[in-house]
Amino acid sequence: NMRQNRLRSFQSKFMAKILITSGPTREYLDPIRFISNQSSGRMGVALAEAALDFGHEVCVVSGPVHVSYPTNAEVVSVETTTEMHDAVGNHFPMCDGIIAAAAPCDFRPKTFVDSKIKKSGDGMIIEFTETSDILSSVSHDKHAAQWAVGFALETDNGIENAMKKLIEKKLNLIVLNGPEAMNSETNRIRILGINGIIAGFEGTKHNVARNIINTIFDSLKNSTTAF
């Protein structure tokens, strides 16, 4: 339609290299067992496809997933949160922006046991420590022309918590969704900027991803700086 053609025309003058993080990470207790989450990588795939459809370059940093990323995207595969942190740190300087759709583990076991932990009859107590905040570290270091878009998966006080993340992590936009998005074909999201909600979409992750990309570049178009 006419709006899409106009948008394509605008975007052809503003091609970006976008770093997309996707999927879960794993944190190991011993060589056999790990903690992780239900993130499937489907949103990351949809975002990569949408960005490529609009003519952008895409680099995906992905945790372990069963989905396939587009063949014309550069894909960097990682497993742990530290590996994802390092890969994002290495690739973001060459990119114009980041969309952090991954669900890295927030915690990891304080100690890693070299051999498989055996049953003792006494159960097991595991002490956890927090992992580094991948998006916050690159967003705080981004230069003036770079932008950062995060995802907030919240079960309670979604808007309040998402706004807090947006400010603390120095993000340009944040995408708010709920736990029902994990391992699902569909998603219902709201996009927040510094002044609150600017858009809301629901449907297949493919359609939602196209709307996210559109919203990011509409925001770019209407701003003299990155946002």
Side-chain angles (χ1 to χ4, degrees), residues 128-146:
F128 288 90
T129 186
E130 290 186 6
T131 56
S132 59
D133 191 314
I134 297 166
L135 180 56
S136 187
S137 62
V138 294
S139 184
H140 276 81
D141 289 340
K142 67 183 183 296
H143 58 70
Q146 286 180 306

Side-chain angles (χ1 to χ4, degrees), residues 67-87:
V67 294
S68 298
Y69 295 102
T71 52
N72 45 344
E74 178 187 359
V75 180
V76 180
S77 296
V78 297
E79 191 169 14
T80 67
T81 307
T82 299
E83 288 169 358
M84 185 173 280
H85 185 279
D86 292 346

Side-chain angles (χ1 to χ4, degrees), residues 78-125:
V78 297
E79 191 169 14
T80 67
T81 307
T82 299
E83 288 169 358
M84 185 173 280
H85 185 279
D86 292 346
V88 169
N90 288 337
H91 287 82
F92 186 59
M94 283 81 77
C95 294
D96 298 293
I98 181 170
I99 306 174
C105 291
D106 293 323
F107 303 94
R108 61 177 170 78
K110 261 195 169 175
T111 54
F112 172 80
V113 181
D114 290 331
S115 306
K116 181 184 173 185
I117 301 166
K118 301 286 190 184
K119 281 185 178 178
S120 65
D122 296 327
M124 180 170 62
I125 294 170

